[in-house]
Amino acid sequence: MSDAMLNDLLSGMTWCDVPAGSAGVTRSVPQGTGRHAPMQKVTEAVSTDGCTMSRSAVTNAHFQKFIDDPNGYSNLEWWRFDKGLKKRKMPPRDPVGRDNDPRTHVDFWAVCAYAQWVSTQMGEVFRVPMEGEWRVAVQNKDDLQLSFDQQEWF
């Protein structure tokens, strides 16, 4: 990849330091066994030692670079977690003119593959934040000047 493409790879992204902390998460868990077991809401804490993350979501334009690179999305190296995979179906292309919108219509594994690809291109480690990191970031959204809300991520 050329220097110009590397500079453009994460263009427009700014970074922030998510502080160490914890946040409450409410989950519904079955009480008993069987298909129709009653559910009970349980609140548990998730925490983080802190991390650095982007203030905004990966955009359609950012993710499209991964799709368009011959060594990107179609390279099975990024899909090592699926031993039987022979070919990965391309995700739908988002509407024209929406390059700066957050990327949608991709699954968790595609996001992990994208992070691995970016890491290789940039020579740094990029990864998907853990749940505690997301929750603490959302809890501190205004202080961190994040450009997403909780509903975009959960």
Side-chain angles (χ1 to χ4, degrees):
M1 189 173 271
S2 70
D3 287 344
M5 288 179 75
L6 281 175
N7 290 336
D8 190 45
L9 189 62
L10 298 175
S11 66
M13 292 187 118
T14 59
W15 307 92
C16 63
D17 292 322
V18 176
S22 63
V25 178
T26 302
R27 303 183 197 285
S28 294
V29 296
Q31 299 301 301
T33 59
R35 191 171 176 194
H36 300 288
M39 301 297 276
Q40 179 180 351
K41 292 194 181 286
V42 175
T43 301
E44 51 192 42
V46 292
S47 62
T48 178
D49 293 331
C51 68
T52 299
M53 67 182 283
S54 172
R55 284 191 166 93
S56 59
V58 170
T59 65
N60 290 322
H62 291 125
F63 197 82
Q64 193 61 45
K65 291 172 189 156
F66 177 47
I67 292 172
D68 293 342
D69 182 349
N71 291 312
Y73 193 93
S74 60
N75 183 345
L76 293 181
E77 178 181 338
W78 311 124
W79 310 98
R80 290 179 290 228
F81 48 83
D82 188 345
K83 304 283 188 226
L85 185 69
K86 301 288 185 241
K87 184 177 181 184
R88 181 77 177 173
K89 182 181 174 190
M90 289 290 188
R93 187 173 180 108
D94 280 331
V96 174
R98 310 282 306 258
D99 286 353
N100 294 323
D101 287 359
R103 181 61 192 202
T104 58
H105 308 314
V106 293
D107 62 25
F108 174 77
W109 300 114
V111 175
C112 292
Y114 172 79
Q116 290 177 39
W117 174 78
V118 169
S119 296
T120 300
Q121 302 304 312
M122 300 299 290
E124 299 180 45
V125 175
F126 289 83
R127 63 174 177 78
V128 178
M130 304 299 284
E131 183 177 21
E133 293 164 341
W134 280 122
R135 299 284 181 168
V136 171
V138 168
Q139 195 170 270
N140 292 282
K141 177 186 170 190
D142 293 336
D143 293 339
L144 298 175
Q145 300 174 344
L146 301 178
S147 64
F148 59 82
D149 65 26
Q150 185 168 355
Q151 295 308 311
E152 288 183 50
W153 301 105
F154 303 108

